[in-house]
Amino acid sequence: MTEDSSSYEMQIRKDDGQKETKAKPGLSAGKIFYKPGVIEEETDETSVLDSSVMESPMLGVGYGGSGFLRPPLQQTSSLHRIPTYSSSIGHSTVYRHDCRSRSHRHGASRRTRRRAILKNGECNILKSRISQRRLRFLQDMFTTLVDAQWRWTLLVFTLSFILSWLGFALIWWLIAFTHGDLELDHLPPMQESNGWKPCVFNIFDFTSCFLFSIETQHTIGYGARTTTEECPEAIFIMCLQSIVGVMIQAFMVGIVFAKMTRPKHRTQTLLFSKHAVVCQRDGELSLMFRVGDLRKSHIIGASVRAQLIRSRTTKEGELLSHYQTELELNADGCDSNLFFIWPITMVHRINANSPFYGVSAADVLQEKFEIVVILEGTIESTGQTTQARSSYTTSEIMWGHRFVPLVTYNRERQGYEVDYSKFEETTQVDTPLCSAKELDEFYGNQADRRSIESTEHLVLKMPERPARPDSPAPPPKAEQKNGDFTVTL
């Protein structure tokens, strides 16, 4: 009995040694889809796995040094589906391949990209070393003050009036001084006794000139100080100050009004989802994010664009560190032009024309890119054009999630109700962790496969009706035998 058991153990060790000497499986169709959420066909080659496992906060599964995800060990060759319950951010479940403890690879963490567009839509761009920067900005003073912060705009608003008052007060003082109105014998108390006629009545000193400057510029006219016909230059300065005062007031009021009615403030009520999700829709991997509007006044002609920013190397070896690629978007079977009456989920289908065609869930953890999303449209109440921006980095892409519905019909209020508490809410769904390219290679012809599945679904769901004598012959039916489809009449 002992000899039999020892020989059995030696045979097992010999078989294990032969398995360890086998090469790792290649990336052929049917072998690269050992990932949660897809139909897998296992072979004996799956017994050869790397011993190192990385704990991923997004995927929740381990993968070896080759960079491709691998499943737990299975001993049978069958078709099955593994749920992606730990594929969301914030979960760190690690599937063990066997009962032995596995070591984690230190330093394997998500690589993040520095943002070009912040979540609030601000551009994270710092400009430096601009030649003649002050001169260029002063030439466009209106735009400079509109773009400036409120404290600087109010400071310029206040200084423009004070300096104009002081400047014209100095001119009035010089006119009175050169005419001799500030001499002791020519002051207002002595003007009636000696018959002196000044350029401006009731001018005693510089303070009186400053008060007269304010009254003239803003047409206050208290009646104590007035201009006479004695000095033509005084009449000219009075007309000039009235014109300058109107121009300054119109300029500053225009700046304040432009700052208060900027279409940029409308973007505060335009929402983008905090995360983007990747899941299957109609048999294709899709990248999705959600946009919404809080106001009752709509955005007319709203359109959404998305651009991918990542590094790219040309054929000549040139490194383009911030290469931008336009992503094709659609919503509910329409293009990116929206009828924006409730929150809409924008969908980017990851097909052969998508830059994410060869990107898997494991690649998202390692690559560095940023997806910039832009919503443009016309404000219905003001007619101004507005633009709202946001971005998603690799740490904000949730693989294996789907947005939950948030629009329901309220029978009591007789209208569609949007629950914005569910705007960021997602649910986990079974999603392949491989790339869309590998998924197409595994399934082959997607269109034929889906049409066959839909036909079988209709055949199973539609009830059979009894045939009448005058009814035509029934249509042919498709039957599947050993993986081949045959037509039975």
Side-chain angles (χ1 to χ4, degrees):
M1 188 69 178
T2 305
E3 294 178 357
D4 296 340
S5 60
S6 61
S7 61
Y8 179 72
E9 292 178 358
M10 292 177 62
Q11 182 66 26
I12 292 177
R13 293 177 181 178
K14 183 177 180 181
D15 295 340
D16 294 340
Q18 293 178 358
K19 290 181 179 180
E20 291 179 358
T21 57
K22 291 182 179 181
K24 295 182 180 179
L27 300 180
S28 60
K31 297 181 181 179
I32 58 178
F33 294 93
Y34 300 122
K35 303 174 177 64
V38 297
I39 298 177
E40 304 176 18
E41 181 180 0
E42 296 184 305
T43 61
D44 293 337
E45 293 179 351
T46 59
S47 60
V48 184
L49 297 175
D50 294 337
S51 60
S52 61
V53 180
M54 186 191 77
E55 186 174 358
S56 167
M58 185 187 76
L59 304 176
V61 294
Y63 70 91
S66 61
F68 292 92
L69 303 179
R70 302 182 185 276
L73 284 173
Q74 300 290 338
Q75 300 296 332
T76 60
S77 298
S78 60
L79 296 177
H80 63 283
R81 182 179 291 272
I82 302 176
T84 56
Y85 293 141
S86 301
S87 63
S88 61
I89 297 177
H91 295 75
S92 58
T93 305
V94 177
Y95 293 98
R96 302 296 183 183
H97 299 312
D98 50 19
C99 60
R100 296 176 296 179
S101 61
R102 300 286 184 178
S103 60
H104 299 276
R105 186 172 63 185
H106 299 284
S109 59
R110 179 188 296 275
R111 299 173 62 186
T112 58
R113 180 185 178 91
R114 298 179 180 89
R115 289 185 181 277
I117 304 296
L118 303 179
K119 296 298 288 185
N120 59 359
E122 297 291 337
C123 296
N124 190 21
I125 306 299
L126 303 176
K127 299 180 175 62
S128 60
R129 299 180 180 179
I130 302 176
S131 61
Q132 299 180 352
R133 181 175 182 272
R134 295 183 179 179
L135 179 60
R136 294 173 185 269
F137 281 79
L138 289 176
Q139 290 176 350
D140 189 10
M141 179 62 70
F142 185 84
T143 305
T144 301
L145 293 178
V146 171
D147 293 337
Q149 297 180 354
W150 270 105
R151 56 176 177 265
W152 299 112
T153 302
L154 294 177
L155 178 61
V156 173
F157 183 85
T158 305
L159 290 178
S160 63
F161 285 107
I162 294 178
L163 294 178
S164 63
W165 297 337
L166 291 174
F168 281 99
L170 180 60
I171 296 175
W172 288 115
W173 183 85
L174 291 175
I175 292 175
F177 179 79
T178 55
H179 190 260
D181 297 340
L182 300 181
E183 297 179 1
L184 295 178
D185 297 338
H186 298 162
L187 291 178
M190 307 296 295
Q191 290 176 0
E192 294 182 1
S193 59
N194 55 20
W196 179 261
K197 189 175 183 180
C199 295
V200 180
F201 287 122
N202 294 325
I203 294 295
F204 294 88
D205 50 13
F206 183 79
T207 304
S208 301
C209 295
F210 181 75
L211 293 176
F212 181 71
S213 175
I214 297 176
E215 296 174 13
T216 304
Q217 184 166 333
H218 298 281
T219 63
I220 296 176
Y222 289 112
R225 283 170 288 271
T226 57
T227 308
T228 64
E229 301 87 354
E230 183 68 21
C231 302
E233 63 273 14
I235 299 175
F236 174 77
I237 295 299
M238 181 185 65
C239 298
L240 179 62
Q241 186 173 5
S242 299
I243 297 173
V244 172
V246 171
M247 294 179 60
I248 294 176
Q249 187 171 0
F251 184 76
M252 297 309 303
V253 170
I255 290 175
V256 173
F257 180 78
K259 287 182 68 67
M260 295 181 64
T261 60
R262 278 190 303 176
K264 183 179 179 180
H265 298 309
R266 182 63 172 86
T267 61
Q268 302 300 322
T269 52
L270 297 176
L271 301 181
F272 293 92
S273 59
K274 185 178 180 181
H275 296 91
V277 299
V278 176
C279 65
Q280 279 186 302
R281 175 172 286 190
D282 295 332
E284 293 181 344
L285 285 177
S286 300
L287 173 69
M288 295 179 285
F289 60 91
R290 180 175 280 174
V291 294
D293 188 4
L294 297 180
R295 289 192 178 274
K296 197 171 184 179
S297 59
H298 306 302
I299 299 295
I300 303 174
S303 62
V304 180
R305 298 186 296 112
Q307 291 185 346
L308 174 65
I309 302 178
R310 65 176 177 179
S311 59
R312 174 180 174 269
T313 303
T314 62
K315 297 180 180 179
E316 294 78 14
E318 180 185 3
L319 179 61
L320 306 176
S321 58
H322 301 91
Y323 186 79
Q324 299 183 15
T325 305
E326 191 77 17
L327 300 181
E328 183 179 355
L329 295 178
N330 61 77
D332 299 335
C334 304
D335 56 6
S336 57
N337 294 323
L338 310 179
F339 181 48
F340 205 14
I341 58 176
W342 49 46
I344 296 179
T345 300
M346 304 302 301
V347 181
H348 168 67
R349 297 187 180 276
I350 305 178
N351 49 29
N353 298 325
S354 172
F356 296 109
Y357 189 58
V359 177
S360 64
D363 298 332
V364 173
L365 295 173
Q366 300 298 323
E367 291 194 4
K368 296 171 59 178
F369 60 83
E370 180 181 0
I371 302 173
V372 178
V373 293
I374 305 170
L375 188 151
E376 295 178 335
T378 304
I379 304 174
E380 185 180 24
S381 56
T382 62
Q384 295 177 314
T385 303
T386 184
Q387 183 184 91
R389 299 179 294 267
S390 185
S391 67
Y392 301 99
T393 58
T394 54
S395 61
E396 295 167 346
I397 298 178
M398 303 177 68
W399 197 288
H401 281 243
R402 179 185 299 158
F403 289 110
V404 300
L406 74 167
V407 180
T408 57
Y409 186 79
N410 192 327
R411 295 182 179 273
E412 297 179 358
R413 302 173 62 181
Q414 296 295 316
Y416 288 94
E417 183 178 2
V418 181
D419 186 3
Y420 276 95
S421 63
K422 299 180 181 179
F423 188 80
E424 304 286 350
E425 188 175 349
T426 60
T427 181
Q428 296 179 353
V429 293
D430 293 347
T431 305
L433 298 183
C434 61
S435 64
K437 180 179 180 181
E438 296 170 344
L439 191 64
D440 290 345
E441 293 175 356
F442 179 76
Y443 284 126
N445 193 338
Q446 293 284 323
D448 295 342
R449 179 179 62 83
R450 284 197 292 267
S451 63
I452 292 171
E453 290 178 354
S454 61
T455 304
E456 293 177 349
H457 179 73
L458 291 176
V459 171
L460 293 175
K461 294 298 182 181
M462 293 179 61
E464 297 182 358
R465 296 183 179 180
R468 294 184 298 176
D470 56 345
S471 62
K477 297 182 179 179
E479 296 181 357
Q480 183 178 7
K481 295 181 180 180
N482 298 328
D484 299 330
F485 287 89
T486 58
V487 178
T488 303
L489 299 178

